[in-house]
Amino acid sequence: MIIEEAATFGKILPHRSPLVGLDCGRKSIGVAVSDADGQIASPLRTIRRRGFVKDVRQLLDIVHYRSVLGVVIGLPRNMDGSEGPSCQSIRSFALNLTECTNLPITFWDERLSTVAAEKALIAAGASRRKRSRVIDHVAAALILQGLLDYLGNQNR
């Protein structure tokens, strides 16, 4: 089920739920996971796109292994907040994903997440080669952490 509002998504999850965050691109899907308490996001891995069925199989293996209870997908809005073709592609991916899992799915505005990930990796001294290998799952962690922080503030 797709839940558009992050606040509603947070309300239907059991308290302290592990989540998975996705940064979906044309060539890869960055994957991040939260801790068991659903408070801290960590980059996990990047799935190289090989077709929806193969991609989702890898993703669902992670979901099962990590006992994930919800999915957040970065929504690449335009800088003015509007949705373009990239958003439509992400929404289609999410809709197709609902056919493969009963987990609740929501979206999180990912504007500039890759830029922020790149800056963090540069600040950490990561080489250009290393950055290219990890940028997608670091961006996924930023997306997931944004949602976790939002949900944490909603519960205060």
Side-chain angles (χ1 to χ4, degrees), residues 10-29:
K11 288 177 184 173
I12 68 161
L13 292 172
H15 186 62
R16 299 183 183 254
S17 299
L19 303 175
V20 66
L22 306 177
D23 180 30
C24 299
R26 289 183 318 220
K27 296 181 181 179
S28 62
I29 301 171

Side-chain angles (χ1 to χ4, degrees), residues 43-83:
L44 183 64
R45 64 178 290 223
T46 297
I47 297 171
R48 296 291 163 212
R49 304 288 296 259
R50 293 190 178 102
F52 182 79
V53 172
K54 290 179 183 178
D55 300 345
V56 170
R57 187 174 300 132
Q58 289 183 66
L59 178 60
L60 292 179
D61 285 346
I62 293 167
V63 164
H64 177 73
Y65 180 76
R66 300 280 179 156
S67 302
V68 166
L69 298 178
V71 179
V72 58
I73 303 174
L75 193 62
R77 294 183 184 275
N78 295 322
M79 291 308 290
D80 66 0
S82 64
E83 293 190 11

Side-chain angles (χ1 to χ4, degrees), residues 114-128 130-131 134-135 138 142:
T114 302
V115 173
E118 180 88 15
K119 286 182 179 181
L121 290 166
I122 289 170
S127 68
R128 184 180 306 259
K130 169 78 172 178
R131 289 193 314 263
V134 302
I135 190 80
V138 171
L142 291 172

